[in-house]
Amino acid sequence: KCRTGPLDIVFVIDSSRSVRPFEFEIMRRFMMDIIGSLDVGPNATRVGVIQYSSQVQNIFSLKTFFTREDMEKAINGIVPLAQGTMTGLAIQYAMNVAFSTQEGARPPHKRIPRIAIVVTDGRPQDRVAEVATQARNAGIEIYAVGIQRADMNSLRAMASPPLEEHVFLVESFELIQQFAKQFQDKLCGVDMCMEQEHGCQHTCISTPGSFYCECNPGYRLNVDGKTCSPIDACADGRHGCQHLCVSTRGSYTCHCHMGYYLNQDRRSCSMIDYCSFGNHSCQHECVSIPQGHYCRCRSGFTLQPDARSCRATDLCNGVDHGCEFKCVSTEGSYRCMCPEGQQLQADGKACSKCGSGHVDLVLVIDGSKSVRPQNFELVKQFVNRIVDLLEVSPHGTRVGLVQYSSRVRTEFPLNKYHSADEIKKAVMEVEYMEKGTMTGLALKHMVEHSFSELEGARPLSHNIPRIGLVFTDGRSQDDISEWARRAKESGIVMFAVGVGKAVEEELRAIASEPVEQHFSYSADFTTMTNLVENFKLNICPEEGKGVTEIRSPCECEALVQFQTNTVAILQSLTEKNILWARSLAQMTARLEDLEKQLTHKK
């Protein structure tokens, strides 16, 4: 057996059609004879085999087998390719693949000799000189074995120097056994570690005609190539310690910063939970930090000077504020706030919603692959912001949702849910479809199904506005013009919302007139919530026009009653004025008579 140390050997075997079956059997025996003389194993010599003709086939790699029995079984199972003779291609495969560390070759710094044994019986059908030079420059020692018809010039172009030790030409396959013995002698040679004073501090590794030194685990070889020094295991940065790495001889241990403890994996650290000791005395919450702990108050409370107790400062938590949406505390007071898109009413507590009347609203959203899952969640939030604007009820506004990609799916029809909360919950449960963008198909589905009375649309005779909102982020893969036109002709008011790569021409084709009031665009998904206000102003026009007086029949009757009462009062005053005028005339007449009587007496 070879005792000169480990090798990485790859057999490159010619299995072209010129190699007859009984000759190929001789090559099998040739490989097994050489393997039989080697000390094989994961830490000893490793062997790989590839065969080639017009193509290259890997039989087994350097990392596949580590016993002679397994290797011989694989060699006996080889089926010859029986095609051309692409020797250059085979050498290139050996260099790039067979001798790669991924396929089991030891790294170059290990200095394990890499040996390729090329066996061929003919002239190569491709160029071998250049690729063989590259392989030798990569550190591969090439033995070229030619049989019968092999071309000597090609063998010399392949082999490593000196050529007289690496080129063999035998007259027949039967004589290849003689080469096997010569090759064994060249590989095995003399154990140089035994023949001379090697000077290695730790371990001497013998190679054909030479030797090299290796160090024990935890040490590295010095520049003199013989002595060894302890390795700083922390220096290479691969220790995995989360905080501190402390090097020991050939090894290391992980330590943690103050206030942390080492976990069971002996690498990561966790902060000590000082609050768990139970002696913090915090009234509300205890917060651990590496230096100890501190107390924190719940929202609406202020930490007192003793750093432990809390006092309420949030009036929203201490009074019945009556805010419909949200109460915000201010210094010594509070104020009410409404969601975006709604306005605070005159009472300072209630929030306005769409007051333009009842509508049947169907939202058609793009669920194509280009939207992506995280953006589809933003689309659902956008839909729910619109729902927040509406007074949803069976007799008020109804909402339906359709999603489309390469196909169309009704998520829920107009008559499915009867409150905003039910709709918003259903929207958040919608699953992303992915695939294509068939906007035209979605418009057809909306016209033919979504606004049908069967799915909850109120009859046209009720004069309930029908509104369709189409959301898309890209160009449609089908024609939209026909069904966009049909939708508008059927009385549906169409809104188009585009994001990202949406095509403006398609959005305008979908939108109702005037287009500028029914078409919106946002550059990306994160800013599209700004479009909600545009939509609000168009479906709730009074929101942008100040106060709009809406008079009910009862209010009209009150006005008529007021007018009637006023006329009655005016008539009463007129009658009184007439009586007063008559009395005044009578008094005037009597005064005139008295004046005449006085005149006669004088």
Side-chain angles (χ1 to χ4, degrees):
K1 298 285 186 250
C2 256
R3 303 295 183 186
T4 58
L7 305 170
D8 285 343
I9 299 177
V10 174
F11 290 94
V12 183
I13 302 302
D14 181 355
S15 66
S16 60
R17 66 173 64 92
S18 62
V19 180
R20 289 169 289 185
F22 78 90
E23 294 173 337
F24 196 82
E25 293 303 316
I26 295 173
M27 279 203 291
R28 291 187 209 268
R29 176 50 52 192
F30 162 72
M31 288 187 286
M32 289 190 286
D33 286 346
I34 293 179
I35 292 172
S37 69
L38 301 174
D39 182 18
V40 297
N43 298 317
T45 293
R46 299 183 182 182
V47 178
V49 176
I50 62 176
Q51 68 165 334
Y52 73 93
S53 60
S54 297
Q55 59 188 2
V56 181
Q57 181 185 32
N58 181 49
I59 305 302
F60 59 86
S61 62
L62 293 168
K63 66 179 180 181
T64 306
F65 301 123
F66 297 113
T67 66
R68 286 186 295 278
E69 291 77 12
D70 290 337
M71 295 177 186
E72 290 178 0
K73 182 178 179 181
I75 291 171
N76 283 325
I78 299 174
V79 177
L81 299 174
Q83 297 173 357
T85 310
M86 304 295 285
T87 310
L89 181 65
I91 295 175
Q92 186 174 37
Y93 181 90
M95 174 178 63
N96 294 336
V97 179
F99 281 111
S100 67
T101 54
Q102 291 84 356
E103 291 297 309
R106 265 72 65 96
H109 72 269
K110 292 281 190 181
R111 296 198 289 180
I112 305 297
R114 296 181 175 184
I115 298 174
I117 304 173
V118 182
V119 183
T120 180
D121 79 325
R123 182 186 299 273
Q125 294 175 337
D126 57 355
R127 297 181 179 180
V128 298
E130 183 178 349
V131 69
T133 300
Q134 294 175 358
R136 294 193 299 268
N137 291 339
I140 300 172
E141 185 178 1
I142 301 177
Y143 287 86
V145 182
I147 305 171
Q148 289 182 342
R149 299 167 294 277
D151 178 53
M152 176 56 78
N153 289 331
S154 298
L155 297 176
R156 295 172 66 86
M158 285 187 267
S160 297
L163 297 179
E164 60 272 15
E165 295 184 7
H166 292 82
V167 177
F168 298 88
L169 180 62
V170 294
E171 296 178 356
S172 67
F173 280 87
E174 290 82 357
L175 297 177
I176 199 174
Q177 302 296 329
Q178 297 179 7
F179 163 71
K181 299 185 187 311
Q182 296 177 35
F183 185 72
Q184 292 169 15
D185 293 339
K186 290 186 178 298
L187 287 182
C188 295
V190 178
D191 188 342
M192 301 300 292
C193 291
M194 300 293 293
E195 292 295 319
Q196 64 185 43
E197 180 62 34
H198 51 74
C200 297
Q201 182 178 354
H202 286 180
T203 305
C204 176
I205 304 296
S206 182
T207 61
S210 184
F211 70 91
Y212 64 92
C213 299
E214 275 193 353
C215 297
N216 295 335
Y219 292 81
R220 67 170 180 273
L221 195 65
N222 294 326
V223 293
D224 61 7
K226 297 181 182 293
T227 59
C228 301
S229 297
I231 295 174
D232 182 358
C234 296
D236 61 5
R238 294 182 295 178
H239 48 77
C241 297
Q242 183 178 357
H243 286 183
L244 304 173
C245 177
V246 179
S247 183
T248 58
R249 182 166 292 232
S251 186
Y252 66 91
T253 56
C254 297
H255 290 208
C256 296
H257 294 309
M258 183 178 294
Y260 293 80
Y261 63 88
L262 195 65
N263 293 322
Q264 291 184 352
D265 61 7
R266 314 308 298 169
R267 284 178 171 80
S268 61
C269 300
S270 296
M271 190 172 65
I272 298 172
D273 185 3
Y274 291 99
C275 295
S276 65
F277 298 163
N279 58 354
H280 51 76
S281 302
C282 296
Q283 182 180 352
H284 283 184
E285 300 173 0
C286 174
V287 180
S288 288
I289 56 176
Q291 297 77 23
H293 75 278
Y294 67 92
C295 296
R296 182 173 63 192
C297 296
R298 291 190 292 270
S299 178
F301 293 82
T302 302
L303 192 66
Q304 297 304 292
D306 63 4
R308 289 179 172 81
S309 58
C310 302
R311 187 175 66 184
T313 55
D314 186 354
L315 291 178
C316 289
N317 289 331
V319 300
D320 184 14
H321 50 77
C323 296
E324 179 180 339
F325 177 68
K326 183 179 181 180
C327 175
V328 179
S329 289
T330 59
E331 182 120 8
S333 184
Y334 67 90
R335 60 186 174 88
C336 297
M337 289 185 63
C338 292
E340 184 178 346
Q342 300 185 28
Q343 295 181 352
L344 197 65
Q345 297 297 284
D347 62 358
K349 300 178 183 295
C351 298
S352 67
K353 292 192 176 182
C354 181
S356 62
H358 306 150
V359 298
D360 286 344
L361 172 64
V362 174
L363 298 112
V364 182
I365 59 173
D366 185 349
S368 61
K369 181 171 62 176
S370 60
V371 174
R372 300 186 182 278
Q374 64 272 26
N375 290 331
F376 190 72
E377 294 303 312
L378 297 176
V379 172
K380 293 196 288 187
Q381 294 176 21
F382 172 77
V383 170
N384 280 344
R385 296 286 291 276
I386 292 175
V387 174
D388 283 334
L389 300 175
L390 309 172
E391 291 284 359
V392 178
S393 68
H395 302 292
T397 291
R398 298 181 182 180
V399 179
L401 181 64
V402 172
Q403 183 186 175
Y404 73 96
S405 58
S406 298
R407 55 190 177 88
V408 184
R409 182 174 72 204
T410 297
E411 300 296 348
F412 53 83
L414 289 165
N415 55 5
K416 177 72 173 179
Y417 301 112
H418 306 307
S419 71
D421 288 340
E422 288 178 317
I423 292 173
K424 290 166 68 176
K425 181 176 182 293
V427 168
M428 296 312 295
E429 293 174 352
V430 170
E431 294 183 357
Y432 180 35
M433 294 174 70
E434 298 191 18
K435 297 189 177 177
T437 310
M438 303 294 284
T439 311
L441 184 64
L443 290 170
K444 180 177 185 293
H445 181 91
M446 179 194 73
V447 173
E448 293 183 341
H449 300 285
S450 301
F451 281 109
S452 66
E453 294 183 26
L454 182 64
E455 294 200 3
R458 278 148 307 184
L460 292 173
S461 60
H462 290 189
N463 294 322
I464 302 296
R466 295 182 173 184
I467 297 177
L469 187 149
V470 178
F471 174 92
T472 181
D473 84 320
R475 183 181 296 275
S476 176
Q477 295 173 337
D478 60 352
D479 180 64
I480 65 165
S481 57
E482 179 182 357
W483 286 102
R485 175 180 56 78
R486 289 197 188 185
K488 289 176 278 192
E489 288 177 353
S490 66
I492 303 172
V493 179
M494 295 299 299
F495 287 81
V497 177
V499 175
K501 296 182 180 180
V503 180
E504 182 177 351
E505 179 182 357
E506 293 185 353
L507 297 175
R508 290 180 174 275
I510 295 171
S512 294
E513 295 288 340
V515 171
E516 298 303 325
Q517 293 183 14
H518 296 82
F519 149 78
S520 300
Y521 174 79
S522 177
D524 59 61
F525 288 84
T526 59
T527 60
M528 68 181 179
T529 53
N530 299 328
L531 304 180
V532 174
E533 190 64 23
N534 296 340
F535 185 75
K536 173 187 174 185
L537 292 174
N538 286 292
I539 66 169
C540 308
E542 76 282 7
E543 297 290 345
K545 299 179 181 177
V547 178
T548 301
E549 181 180 347
I550 303 175
R551 293 184 291 182
S552 67
C554 295
E555 291 173 331
C556 291
E557 291 175 4
L559 180 60
V560 171
Q561 183 64 45
F562 173 77
Q563 291 174 335
T564 302
N565 293 341
T566 301
V567 170
I569 292 170
L570 289 173
Q571 288 177 344
S572 175
L573 290 173
T574 301
E575 291 173 356
K576 289 180 179 179
N577 287 338
I578 293 172
L579 293 173
W580 181 76
R582 289 176 179 174
S583 299
L584 182 61
Q586 292 174 356
M587 291 179 65
T588 301
R590 292 185 63 184
L591 286 172
E592 289 177 351
D593 290 340
L594 288 173
E595 288 178 351
K596 290 178 179 179
Q597 292 176 8
L598 290 173
T599 302
H600 288 306
K601 287 181 178 179
K602 290 180 178 179

